[in-house]
């Protein structure tokens, strides 16, 4: 009897593991930088619309990598769709993995962008704006970005 009970328990555990899969969304995002008026760096930040999930939170422009795309290629496409620019994608600055409380997980690669062609145009966001790096913690960012924006503000992550 004891043995059977133990097996049932094990099976139950396995079932739970199957019932709660975490599909990781592979995401790319850009730190688009420009020199600010005082010579310090400014970065472009974007606020999600009121009718989007995680509404009105701030984030960096970007989105999910589609099947068959490389990360840089996906980011170039997203920046064109969202902001109407043709960006030159620079180096990978950092990579963040975060489990959201609703069960979704994201794996985000952040690339530096210092140069782009075309005029910045807000095509999908509530608003976009330039912020000094040290001011980033004043904005209500998506949870996955919090560690990184504090590192940027404190100069621990170099751009
Ligand atoms: N673009 C971007 N997405 C981010 C950041 N931080 C963060 O957690 N994310 C998450 C939000 C989304 O779940 C996902 C990006 O997906 P998306 O931009 O293609 O699509 P979406 O907001 O409609 O999200 P979804 O509901 O389809 O998952 O990554 C960030 O700084 N920039």
């Amino acid at each position: 009897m004891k043995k059977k009970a133990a097996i049932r328990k094990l099976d139950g555990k396995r079932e739970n593991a199957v019932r709660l899969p975490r599909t990781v969304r592979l995401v790319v995002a850009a730190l688009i930088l420009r020199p600010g008026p005082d010579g310090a760096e400014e970065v472009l930040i974007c606020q999600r619309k009121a009718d989007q999930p995680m509404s009105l939170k701030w984030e960096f422009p970007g989105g999910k990598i589609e099947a068959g795309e490389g990360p840089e290629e996906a980011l170039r496409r997203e920046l064109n769709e969202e902001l109407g620019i043709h960006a030159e994608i620079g180096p990978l600055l950092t990579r963040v993995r975060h489990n959201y409380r609703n069960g979704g997980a994201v794996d985000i690669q952040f690339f530096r962008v210092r140069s782009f062609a075309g005029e910045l145009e807000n095509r999908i966001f509530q608003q976009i704006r330039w912020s000094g790096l040290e001011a980033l913690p004043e904005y209500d960012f998506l949870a996955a970005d919090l560690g990184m924006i504090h590192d940027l503000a404190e100069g621990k992550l170099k751009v």
Side-chain angles (χ1 to χ4, degrees):
M1 279 302 270
K2 259 192 190 161
K3 204 171 169 190
K4 269 194 188 158
I7 288 168
R8 264 204 301 276
K9 214 170 146 194
L10 242 182
D11 280 351
K13 270 193 191 150
R14 245 187 245 128
E15 257 171 46
N16 278 342
V18 171
R19 251 187 275 132
L20 298 170
R22 263 193 196 282
T23 33
V24 179
R25 278 161 292 164
L26 287 179
V27 175
V28 282
L31 297 185
I32 304 179
L33 295 156
R34 72 170 190 189
D38 56 359
E41 302 273 5
E42 288 185 336
V43 64
L44 190 81
I45 59 173
C46 306
Q47 188 178 33
R48 294 166 72 87
K49 284 222 163 115
D51 60 3
Q52 269 185 288
M54 305 194 277
S55 61
L56 301 179
K57 293 275 186 184
W58 290 85
E59 66 179 9
F60 296 97
K64 288 187 285 284
I65 302 177
E66 289 175 2
E69 271 183 336
E72 287 93 348
E73 186 187 355
L75 188 53
R76 260 195 307 276
R77 174 185 51 73
E78 289 283 355
L79 295 181
N80 185 249
E81 287 170 9
E82 297 181 349
L83 300 168
I85 58 172
H86 296 278
E88 197 180 304
I89 310 299
L92 177 71
L93 292 174
T94 189
R95 188 167 186 166
V96 172
R97 176 85 181 255
H98 181 82
N99 294 330
Y100 277 105
R101 278 202 266 173
N102 63 6
V106 285
D107 174 313
I108 314 172
Q109 298 179 66
F110 291 94
F111 289 87
R112 185 172 80 196
V113 172
R114 283 195 193 278
S115 144
F116 59 83
E119 286 291 312
L120 274 179
E121 184 193 326
N122 176 10
R123 292 187 172 170
I124 62 151
F125 298 103
Q126 185 76 23
Q127 55 176 320
I128 62 175
R129 70 165 68 161
W130 292 97
S131 165
L133 299 183
E134 69 297 332
L136 290 174
E138 293 165 23
Y139 293 89
D140 186 15
F141 265 87
L142 287 175
D145 297 8
L146 290 178
M148 195 203 54
I149 61 153
H150 281 95
D151 285 351
L152 282 169
E154 290 161 23
K156 288 184 194 160
L157 176 64
K158 299 282 179 221
V159 291

